[in-house]
Every structure is written in structure tokens, then in C-alpha cells.
Amino acid sequence: MGADYKVAVIGLGSMGYGVASSLLRAGLTVYGYDINEAQMAKFREAGGAEGALADVAGDLDAVVTVVLNAAQTEAVLFGDGGAVPMLRKGAAVMSCATVAPDFARRMEAQCAENGVLYLDAPISGGPIRAADGALSVLASGTAETFAALKPALDGMASDVFEMGDSAGAGSAMKAVNQLLVGVHIATMAEALTFGMTQGVDPKRFYEVITKSAGTSWALENRTPHIIDNDYSPKSQVNIWPKDLGIVQDIARSAKFSAPISGAALQMYLAAQGMGLGAEDDAAIAKVYAAMAGLTLPGQE
Amino acid sequence: MGADYKVAVIGLGSMGYGVASSLLRAGLTVYGYDINEAQMAKFREAGGAEGALADVAGDLDAVVTVVLNAAQTEAVLFGDGGAVPMLRKGAAVMSCATVAPDFARRMEAQCAENGVLYLDAPISGGPIRAADGALSVLASGTAETFAALKPALDGMASDVFEMGDSAGAGSAMKAVNQLLVGVHIATMAEALTFGMTQGVDPKRFYEVITKSAGTSWALENRTPHIIDNDYSPKSQVNIWPKDLGIVQDIARSAKFSAPISGAALQMYLAAQGMGLGAEDDAAIAKVYAAMAGLTLPGQE
């Protein structure tokens, strides 16, 4: 394979740029597209291939979309100048955004109408693992689709969880994971600030809880941001009203009552309402602190 | 020290019996007391020392209380036939129940009036670690108190977290830990059953999530109970309305809004309302299953 395998990455944000760079490092021919021209230029300087999507699309083996949500996914695949109608028969799309399972099934069907394969492939792991080619992918699609995308999956992921043989299953598991992570981050903030009202220092909280039954991956990952007063966005607050909103949308369709993730969603909405949307998601602790009259480490 | 060190363990339930057995194995002289005569007889057969509390109390170095809650703790320390007034000056009490910090401070003060030391020492780790002498203790009290209880702490715990030099701090950290564990167990159940509505098999949920960002200690520990249809109580549903109730009581006193643990508390109350109180706390998944018309593994 190597350079004979031609792939376009659409969306060169913090995740997509890492994916595109990892695919370059894997020796593939990689085109990078983004609405931000500077990001595209930066990627070409780093070794990205030259050419407008309309000019190269017919020659591509794969398109990997690493955009924010379902609306952006549909736009880059089927909107004005969208990729799918320009692809050759048998080319494959890997869709990495977190979307509802029904949306993924619809995209798979629309791709099939164009003779294009579709992998429902939400990713997990954050920008650092994206840059290292070490993402987790929760993927579902036909065996033919997995085979067609193998060079791309090999280059960007350390773990590919095969969730089923059609679109929807990958997105379902991603929603399950996001329900857990979203609640765990918010609960860490609730517990940390609750502890502060009882004289428990955040550093001591971290030391003790990470060795206790109360620990979670999210707590271990996010608590240091609060202790260090570092709210530069590794993962934004804005992710959570979107992803827990998808969870609630799916739950409503399924007549499934999800009260705990519903409560967590309200706290992320409050964080957005307080103007914290673009901060790291650990900033949800600022909502609790404001509501309780507490001062987090390093804050005035 | 060894057999010269005389300790009474009050409360020989699943946790207390393990603590008492571990102290025996550590070579101490151990008296065991419980309202259940059969448990007391069993412990004496296993090597427990003979004698009514009233007869031996004046000779004890320490009393370890491993009872259910604050009311039972107060009863065995200061109620009718309670231990503290019978102890010698300088003897020490280690209180292991999960209680409110204010209650722990009151017990410390009442013990001090009797010339008795008090360690606020909630435990964590479950019956298996109790039997192995490998509990975690979140302890606070004076240096003199820690020193007086060292043989007991050494015999029952693998980790002693020293939280401060007076009662209250240990119970505060325990409440923080219980907030997290209680929410994490309920959220596991919410996510597992939510996944089932989207075709995610509980086994696959466990395989994928334990390797993903959505994992927690509680999820890794409790999910297998659901997959195996094993609701024999390792830790009962009944624990959580009590412990999350303590969290909410503390929160109310501190004017602290705790919406996520409040939502989790409602689900445990529903589990009790469905008659599941004495089952393993993983049975909270049965509430979600009932509300969504789902059938958990192995259930009719």
C-alpha cells in the first residue's frame, strides 16, 4: 500500500490534524481539507499532498471526516461540493464524529446509493493520541468496508473495536461511552467542590481518591487541570451539551429515562451559560464553585 | 505488642467479622461482640477471646466499632451498656461507620469527656479486603490517637490515609468517596441499559468500556455482577440511600447543590421501593430495566 493509498482527511482541527499527520507518517498519500486555509497550508508544509478535493476525489481510496457533528458530516459528504458524489465506486468513507446511530445508518444508505462504502467510526482518545496515531475507534460496517479502510485504521488507531457489520453500532457504543465520561467529569467536579466545603483540599482529594474505590479514568485525567488552574482546552465544555444532547435524543426516541446523565447535561449547559464553553471541560467545576461561593485553586 | 494488646470489635457483620479475624491473625487479643449470638460464638471458635464486654472493658487498649451507621455507633459507645464509660483513661475508640463529619466531631468530644481517645476512621474496600486485613482507612484524629491504635490499624488495613488531626476530616473524605462510588455504580447501570436499547450487548459493553475513557473502578467491579446475573450482596443497595443521604445532609448544611448525586440517590430509593434493598447494589440496573422494558442477562 503506502503512497499508493490515497486518502483525504476533511477537518483539520485538533483531532483531524493529528489523524492526518499520523496517516502521513504511515506513508499514505494524504490530502487535508479544512475551512481554515491556514490549517490546510500548515498541513501541506508538513507533507500533505497538493490538490483541490474536486480534482483529486475520483482518484481517492478513502475519505476520513473528522468534523464536529452530524450537520458538518452531512455537509462535507453530501452538501455543496460534498465528497461522496465525486468518489469512484468502491471508495470508502470513515466518519469519525460523534453522531446518533440513526444518522449513521442514513449516511451508510446514502453512500451505498453512490456505490461508496461507509464506516461508522467515532473516535476516542483526545488530540495527543490523535497525533500519535493511537486513537480508539468504535467502528461498525461491512467486512468489505473494514478491508477498504485498513491502511487508514492502521495508521490512526491503536485499538479498533469492531462493533458490528452495519452502521449505527459504532455510534451507539460511542454514545454509551460519552454518557459515562460526561457524567464522570461532572461528578468529579461535584465531589471535589463538595469536599472543599468540608475542608478537603483538592490536592488531597486527588491523592486519596485515585487510590480509592471512587476513582474513574475521567477523574484521574481531569482533576489535575483544576489543581493546576489550567483550563486551556484539551477537550472543551462545548463537547458535552452536544454529546450528552445526542444521548438524550437517542434516549427520548427509545423511551429510555436517563436521569443521571440528564442532570450532568444541565451542569454543562450552565457552564456554557457562564461563558465557559471554550474552556477545558474541567471548568464545569467553576459552576459548582460559583453556586457554592468557593474559590478553586489559582482563581481570584 | 501482640497478645498484650487487647481490642474489642463491636459489630461482626460482613465487614466487622473480617476486621476481627484480621486482628486475630495479627496476634492481638480480640473480643468480638454482636447482637447476633451465633456470630459471636463463631468468632470465639475461630480464636476470639472469652468475656462479656462489661467484664473486660476496663482492661482494653482499644474498641473498634464496625456498625451500620451513626445511630448504632452512638448506641454501642454511649447507650445502655455502651463501651466508653467502662474504658480506662487513655484507651482508644476507632469508629469505622460512614457518618457525617459533625457526628464524628461530637463523638470525639464525648470520648474526650471520658478520657478516651477517638479516631474518625471510616473504612473502604469491601468484605474480601476486610477478611484479608487489607482495608483502606480514611482516618483523622490526634497523633496520640493514631499511636494508641497502631496495632489495630496495622492488622486491618493496607492503606491508612491520615486526613487530619481531629475527627471530621476522615468522615468528610469518606463522604466524598461515597458520592463518587454511588454515582459511578448508578451511571454504569444507566449506560449499560441505555446501550441495550441500541443493541449493545452487556458483555460487549464491559469489554469495550473497560478499555475506554468511560471506565471507572465501580464499573469494572460491578458490571460483571449484571452479566453473571449474580445479585448476591457483596455490597447492598441499602448502603446507598444511607450514604448518599449523608452526602445530601452534609450538602444541605453547607448550602451546596449536588444535583448529580441527588439524581443517583433517587434511583437507589427506587431500587429499595422495588424491594431490591438487600440485593447487591448492581441491582440498581433492574430499576432501569423495569423503566425501559428491558430484560437483563439471566432475568425472566
Side-chain angles (χ1 to χ4, degrees):
Chain A
M1 286 291 182
D4 293 345
Y5 193 88
K6 295 187 177 62
V7 54
V9 176
I10 304 182
L12 297 175
S14 61
M15 296 297 287
Y17 195 91
V19 167
S21 302
S22 296
L23 297 181
L24 265 188
R25 214 167 42 242
L28 312 182
T29 296
V30 186
Y31 301 86
Y33 302 103
D34 198 277
I35 48 170
N36 181 334
E37 293 280 349
Q39 280 295 94
M40 286 176 63
K42 181 179 162 198
F43 182 65
R44 280 197 303 272
E45 280 166 34
E50 302 270 349
L53 180 59
D55 296 331
V56 306
D59 203 29
L60 292 172
D61 296 286
V63 171
V64 180
T65 59
V66 196
V67 294
L68 189 62
N69 55 24
Q72 290 185 8
T73 300
E74 186 157 20
V76 301
L77 293 181
F78 296 104
D80 194 28
V84 172
M86 304 190 288
L87 297 176
R88 63 169 173 76
K89 306 294 175 203
V93 167
M94 185 188 327
S95 171
C96 297
T98 298
V99 301
D102 280 347
F103 174 82
R105 283 185 279 267
R106 184 159 66 78
M107 289 298 103
E108 180 182 51
Q110 288 184 215
C111 281
E113 287 168 16
N114 287 267
V116 168
L117 304 167
Y118 180 88
L119 193 69
D120 177 23
I123 53 180
S124 170
I128 294 168
R129 285 178 56 192
D132 289 344
L135 290 170
S136 290
V137 184
L138 302 168
S140 69
T142 63
E144 187 186 2
T145 307
F146 274 103
L149 288 165
K150 187 169 189 306
L153 287 166
D154 288 350
M156 64 190 271
S158 56
D159 294 289
V160 177
F161 295 101
E162 299 195 13
M163 297 305 305
D165 60 6
S166 61
S171 287
M173 185 59 96
K174 182 68 193 290
V176 168
N177 186 67
Q178 295 305 84
L179 186 166
L180 288 158
V181 178
V183 172
H184 290 171
I185 293 169
T187 306
M188 172 277 288
E190 183 164 311
L192 180 143
T193 49
F194 170 76
M196 287 176 70
T197 69
Q198 302 302 305
V200 176
D201 178 77
K203 271 191 196 168
R204 195 76 180 121
F205 168 89
Y206 181 77
E207 289 165 3
V208 174
I209 296 295
T210 53
K211 292 179 194 150
S212 300
T215 198
S216 70
W217 182 91
L219 182 149
E220 294 175 19
N221 186 264
R222 300 306 206 276
T223 307
H225 303 177
I226 297 171
I227 294 171
D228 298 340
N229 187 30
D230 177 8
Y231 299 95
S232 61
K234 270 64 72 181
S235 176
Q236 290 189 2
V237 165
N238 284 332
I239 295 292
W240 295 109
K242 176 177 78 66
D243 285 9
L244 292 178
I246 290 172
V247 167
Q248 292 289 324
D249 287 346
I250 298 170
R252 196 178 305 115
S253 295
K255 299 181 176 53
F256 181 85
S257 171
I260 299 175
S261 47
L265 171 55
Q266 300 308 313
M267 298 309 290
Y268 289 108
L269 288 170
Q272 286 186 312
M274 286 175 63
L276 304 169
E279 293 197 14
D280 189 79
D281 53 25
I284 193 171
K286 295 182 181 179
V287 181
Y288 284 98
M291 293 197 310
L294 297 168
T295 304
L296 294 171
Q299 299 279 305
E300 290 310 307
Chain B
M1 286 291 184
D4 293 346
Y5 192 88
K6 296 187 177 61
V7 55
V9 176
I10 304 183
L12 297 174
S14 61
M15 295 297 287
Y17 196 90
V19 167
S21 302
S22 296
L23 297 181
L24 265 188
R25 213 167 43 242
L28 311 183
T29 296
V30 186
Y31 301 87
Y33 302 103
D34 198 277
I35 48 170
N36 180 335
E37 292 281 349
Q39 279 295 94
M40 286 175 63
K42 181 179 163 198
F43 182 65
R44 280 197 302 272
E45 281 167 33
E50 302 270 350
L53 180 59
D55 296 332
V56 307
D59 204 29
L60 292 172
D61 296 287
V63 171
V64 180
T65 59
V66 196
V67 293
L68 188 61
N69 54 25
Q72 291 186 5
T73 300
E74 185 156 20
V76 301
L77 294 181
F78 296 105
D80 194 29
V84 172
M86 303 190 289
L87 297 176
R88 63 168 173 78
K89 307 292 176 204
V93 166
M94 185 188 327
S95 171
C96 297
T98 298
V99 301
D102 281 346
F103 174 82
R105 282 185 279 267
R106 183 159 66 78
M107 288 298 102
E108 180 182 52
Q110 287 183 217
C111 281
E113 288 168 16
N114 288 267
V116 168
L117 304 167
Y118 181 89
L119 193 69
D120 177 22
I123 53 180
S124 170
I128 294 169
R129 285 178 57 191
D132 289 343
L135 291 170
S136 289
V137 184
L138 301 169
S140 69
T142 64
E144 186 186 2
T145 306
F146 274 103
L149 288 165
K150 187 169 189 306
L153 287 166
D154 288 349
M156 65 191 271
S158 56
D159 295 289
V160 177
F161 296 101
E162 299 195 13
M163 297 305 305
D165 60 5
S166 62
S171 286
M173 185 60 95
K174 182 69 193 291
V176 168
N177 186 67
Q178 295 305 85
L179 186 166
L180 287 158
V181 178
V183 172
H184 291 171
I185 293 169
T187 306
M188 172 277 287
E190 183 165 310
L192 181 143
T193 49
F194 169 76
M196 286 176 71
T197 69
Q198 302 302 304
V200 176
D201 178 77
K203 270 191 197 169
R204 195 76 179 121
F205 168 89
Y206 181 77
E207 288 165 3
V208 173
I209 296 296
T210 54
K211 292 178 195 150
S212 300
T215 198
S216 70
W217 182 92
L219 182 149
E220 294 175 19
N221 187 264
R222 300 307 205 278
T223 307
H225 304 177
I226 298 172
I227 294 171
D228 297 340
N229 187 30
D230 177 8
Y231 299 94
S232 61
K234 270 65 71 181
S235 176
Q236 291 189 2
V237 164
N238 284 333
I239 295 292
W240 295 108
K242 176 177 77 66
D243 285 9
L244 291 179
I246 290 172
V247 167
Q248 292 289 324
D249 287 347
I250 298 170
R252 196 178 304 114
S253 295
K255 299 181 175 55
F256 181 85
S257 170
I260 299 175
S261 47
L265 172 56
Q266 301 307 312
M267 299 309 290
Y268 288 108
L269 288 169
Q272 286 186 312
M274 287 175 64
L276 304 169
E279 293 196 14
D280 189 79
D281 53 26
I284 193 171
K286 295 181 179 179
V287 181
Y288 284 98
M291 294 197 310
L294 297 168
T295 304
L296 294 171
Q299 299 279 306
E300 290 309 306

